[in-house]
Amino acid sequence: MQKICVIGGSRYFGKLLVQRLQAAGHQVTVINRGSTPPPAGVEHLVVDRDDEAALIAALGSRSFDVVVDQVCYTPVQAAIAARAFSGRTRRYVMTSTIEVYDPATAALPAVPLGTPVPEGTVDPATWLVRMDLPWHNAAYLEAHYAEGKRQAEAVFTQHHVLDHQHQGFDFAAIRSAHVLGGGSQEFTGRLAHYIEHITHGEQIRVHAEALPTVFIHYAELAELLAWAATASDFTGPLNACSDGPLDARGLSALIAAQIGREPVYRRVAEGEPASPFSFDRHYAMSNSRAKKLGFAPSHTSDWLPGAVTEALDTFEIPAT
């Protein structure tokens, strides 16, 4: 049994992570702002993580073997957490994102087209942190989501390097692919976008040469996070994705086959917004490091049909 703190953990794969950790016999504490209570038997600390004094007061004398941070979006939040949990945990796992590799959001090293993007493409140990940017502004944060995640990783990584000999902690960042599955639990609505458009014969907006991206099932991501927290001691970034990249047309074709309708496409002009998962730039991740460390990812074809079926259960398919 380990003592594990989950920051967030109130919905989707975070909620499932808490349930799995508890079922495995771990002592779990959840920190969030109180909108959703955790399962019975899980300690619940209701506090705003952005309020450093309140967070430290809520933690009291508690210590943990591992902290899993599901909702860290900015370097400011990371710095607060790094200070609050120094001396309280030996390991810190942050959920990050494939978006850190988006070449449209930062000047990144070039990766040959079609080559899966490795973790070293974004090195948080050397990434510049800018605390002076307006991270507390919701509109700014939404527009700079990828950079917020990059800088949050950098804060934790550099804290680990600078303070490890004192009261620091080991740090790992799980860079998640696009998460699907769970039916109505998939709150982003991206899979629903395709189902709705194909169902009603509406146009799916794609780039002329839409490039593949990578996905992961929400239950597999919960499993990987639990593994990273309790069964592995790696540090640094780790890409989390299933085998089997798909582009927007491939995803549409799979959904269309299950619905029994043909997708309708429209090519977008340069600069025009496209449907979710249609990309004109390459940043599909490599999962080779996860495999080398002992985590065996699924193939997208193993679970995507089931995820589509779950999502279809929330739709009424009109008669043809």
Side-chain angles (χ1 to χ4, degrees):
M1 182 185 75
Q2 297 188 50
K3 294 170 64 178
I4 302 172
C5 176
V6 178
I7 305 176
S10 62
R11 63 179 179 176
Y12 207 28
F13 60 85
K15 182 178 180 180
L16 184 57
L17 169 66
V18 170
Q19 294 168 347
R20 291 194 171 192
L21 291 172
Q22 184 185 33
H26 299 295
Q27 182 179 332
V28 184
T29 297
V30 166
I31 293 176
N32 59 35
R33 290 179 293 185
S35 59
T36 305
V42 171
E43 182 183 35
H44 190 195
L45 301 182
V46 178
V47 64
D48 185 346
R49 64 162 308 150
D50 295 336
D51 186 333
E52 184 170 355
L55 176 59
I56 291 172
L59 288 170
S61 61
R62 292 172 180 82
S63 62
F64 307 96
D65 295 297
V66 189
V67 176
V68 183
D69 193 341
Q70 296 283 81
V71 288
C72 188
Y73 302 108
T74 75
V76 176
Q77 291 178 323
I80 289 171
R83 291 189 292 266
F85 286 96
S86 284
R88 296 181 187 272
T89 188
R90 61 171 179 79
R91 181 166 177 78
Y92 202 103
V93 178
M94 172 190 151
T95 303
S96 190
T97 173
I98 184 177
E99 301 301 333
V100 302
Y101 299 117
D102 185 351
T105 64
L108 299 174
V111 178
L113 187 66
T115 302
V117 178
E119 287 86 353
T121 303
V122 175
D123 181 3
T126 60
W127 201 263
L128 178 65
V129 173
R130 290 284 307 278
M131 294 290 190
D132 58 322
L133 297 175
W135 295 114
H136 295 293
N137 181 293
Y140 180 88
L141 178 56
E142 182 178 1
H144 296 83
Y145 171 72
E147 182 61 17
K149 285 289 192 179
R150 284 187 289 258
Q151 291 195 28
E153 287 189 29
V155 168
F156 284 123
T157 301
Q158 293 164 26
H159 172 82
H160 161 77
V161 171
L162 293 173
D163 201 35
H164 188 61
Q165 298 303 316
H166 303 284
Q167 291 186 313
F169 42 68
D170 289 342
F171 173 67
I174 307 302
R175 294 174 175 169
S176 170
H178 304 293
V179 188
L180 297 176
S184 60
Q185 294 182 71
E186 198 277 287
F187 59 90
T188 69
R190 293 176 296 185
L191 187 58
H193 171 93
Y194 282 87
I195 291 174
E196 183 174 4
H197 280 63
I198 294 171
T199 296
H200 296 287
E202 297 172 358
Q203 293 177 335
I204 297 168
R205 303 180 306 277
V206 297
H207 295 95
E209 295 183 16
L211 297 175
T213 189
V214 285
F215 300 90
I216 190 168
H217 191 268
Y218 83 110
E220 183 170 6
L221 182 53
E223 178 187 355
L224 189 149
L225 286 165
W227 167 80
T230 65
S232 183
D233 60 359
F234 74 90
T235 58
L238 183 81
N239 294 337
C241 62
S242 297
D243 290 330
L246 277 175
D247 62 21
R249 291 178 183 271
L251 177 63
S252 298
L254 186 147
I255 295 169
Q258 291 186 235
I259 295 175
R261 307 265 173 109
E262 287 296 319
V264 179
Y265 300 107
R266 179 175 69 80
R267 292 185 179 182
V268 296
E270 185 175 352
E272 182 185 0
S275 290
F277 310 132
S278 183
F279 297 102
D280 59 356
R281 53 202 185 274
H282 166 62
Y283 59 108
M285 300 186 297
S286 166
N287 59 13
S288 61
R289 186 177 189 223
K291 292 176 179 177
K292 290 176 182 176
L293 288 168
F295 187 86
S298 67
H299 195 281
T300 305
S301 61
D302 295 336
W303 56 263
L304 187 52
V308 171
T309 299
E310 287 179 316
L312 281 169
D313 289 342
T314 66
F315 283 82
E316 182 177 345
I317 308 298
T320 55

